[in-house]
Amino acid sequence: MSFSLNDKRPIGIFDSGLGGLTVLKCLLENLPNEEYIYLGDLANLPYGNKSTKSIIDYSIKCIEFLQSKNVKCIIVACNTASSVALKSIKELSSVPVFDVINPCVDNIVRTDNKKVAIIGTEKTIESDVYSALIKKHKKNIKIYTQACPLFVPIVEEGLGGSKIAKLAIEYYLSNIRAHNIDQLVLGCTHYPVIIKELQKYFNDKIDILHSGPFISEQLLKYFKQKSKREKAPIYYVTDLPDRFQTLGNRFFNQKINSVTLVNI
């Protein structure tokens, strides 16, 4: 995979909703001179409880839209799409594609941790992609998995610090906490929005990973950073632009001034 350092085209990012903003936030911090186009497929949110065929269909429409905007690469900022649609996405994309799973797995296999837990949507956990990739490199590691389907709507409803969020965390993760894990992997880009609540639940004693920092690290290998360009990201959604803007502003480090509704 190679890029021209003079390629000024934007980086395309898509997710089912707000979650991919946690990836974009890290990219803006670490690659501030790049331009970004973000697509949130709110019309089909959440992806995590949909059929594999539907997720592939949604993902293909998202990459076709981003390609129509002349992006130089695409980040699949959705773990569900990365887990079940990545092969189809790469086959149809005319530009390089980055997923959010492999960078996290690369970090996990470099550590000495013996017990790791993966949490994500129903579809991501059902795919078993994290466990399969990790076991290729660390056969003796103990892996626990847990689907947490309520976490995405909690984030999308802006309920990150609420009692409902804390109850959901206890409901889904009490068994995992009992295993005294070394590392927790947030296998959904929505989940970093509640990372403070998760850290508190585990008494700040474990390492919690999410994909944003590792995607940034990966892209820094391809795009050498020079002077900062002060162009704000461009946002598109397939439904509810006002809602996306309001909720996005609650946890994003840049104000979202404009969101455009598109039909893909």
Side-chain angles (χ1 to χ4, degrees):
M1 190 183 298
S2 62
F3 298 92
S4 167
L5 294 180
N6 297 318
D7 192 337
K8 299 186 184 303
R9 291 180 297 167
I11 294 171
I13 304 169
F14 83 86
D15 180 45
S16 60
L18 288 163
L21 292 178
T22 62
V23 174
L24 178 56
K25 182 177 181 179
C26 290
L27 290 170
L28 287 168
E29 291 170 354
N30 293 288
L31 292 90
N33 69 326
E34 297 293 339
E35 295 180 5
Y36 300 92
I37 293 178
Y38 184 98
L39 172 63
D41 188 16
L42 275 73
N44 297 303
L45 175 78
Y47 281 11
N49 60 5
K50 304 295 195 306
S51 69
T52 296
K53 182 183 183 305
S54 293
I55 296 164
I56 291 172
D57 289 345
Y58 301 153
S59 299
I60 289 171
K61 289 179 181 178
C62 288
I63 66 164
E64 288 176 342
F65 174 81
L66 289 172
Q67 287 179 150
S68 75
K69 299 299 179 182
N70 194 32
V71 297
K72 62 184 172 185
C73 68
I74 292 173
I75 298 172
V76 185
C78 172
N79 291 75
T80 302
S82 292
S83 65
V84 301
L86 189 62
K87 184 174 183 290
S88 298
I89 292 169
K90 287 187 172 181
E91 287 174 350
L92 292 172
S93 176
S94 61
V95 298
V97 173
F98 296 87
D99 70 282
V100 289
I101 294 175
N102 280 288
C104 262
V105 169
D106 291 344
N107 178 271
I108 293 165
V109 300
R110 290 197 301 263
T111 71
D112 295 325
N113 291 328
K114 302 295 190 294
K115 292 190 286 185
V116 174
I118 316 291
I119 60 174
T121 66
E122 293 169 288
K123 206 67 181 180
T124 297
I125 298 304
E126 178 187 308
S127 75
D128 204 37
V129 62
Y130 277 97
S131 297
L133 289 170
I134 294 167
K135 289 286 188 178
K136 281 184 179 180
H137 303 279
K138 297 186 73 171
K139 298 188 184 302
N140 295 324
I141 193 171
K142 185 68 176 177
I143 301 174
Y144 304 94
T145 61
Q146 177 64 52
C148 305
L150 285 178
F151 285 3
V152 169
I154 283 171
V155 170
E156 292 283 336
E157 292 291 335
L159 298 172
S162 68
K163 184 177 180 180
I164 292 173
K166 293 172 185 175
L167 288 171
I169 289 170
E170 171 67 29
Y171 176 75
Y172 289 127
L173 302 184
S174 59
N175 287 336
I176 283 178
R177 186 169 65 174
H179 288 298
N180 295 315
I181 58 171
D182 305 307
Q183 196 170 49
L184 177 69
V185 180
L186 307 187
C188 175
T189 52
H190 282 75
Y191 295 1
V193 178
I194 57 171
I195 195 168
K196 290 182 180 179
E197 287 77 16
L198 291 167
Q199 288 169 334
K200 185 175 181 181
Y201 184 71
F202 286 94
N203 299 314
D204 295 308
K205 291 182 177 179
I206 64 168
D207 186 20
I208 300 182
L209 301 185
H210 65 96
S211 54
F214 303 116
I215 284 284
S216 299
E217 181 181 306
Q218 189 178 41
L219 263 65
L220 277 168
K221 296 176 182 178
Y222 300 105
F223 305 122
K224 305 299 182 184
Q225 296 304 288
K226 297 181 181 179
S227 59
K228 183 175 180 180
R229 287 188 279 169
E230 298 290 346
K231 186 171 181 180
I234 299 171
Y235 300 95
Y236 296 96
V237 294
T238 56
D239 200 8
L240 303 171
D242 292 340
R243 178 186 180 82
F244 179 89
Q245 183 174 2
T246 299
L247 293 178
N249 282 333
R250 290 185 185 178
F251 69 89
F252 198 42
N253 65 340
Q254 286 197 358
K255 184 174 176 59
I256 299 174
N257 292 314
S258 177
V259 181
T260 302
L261 179 65
V262 292
N263 182 7
I264 63 172

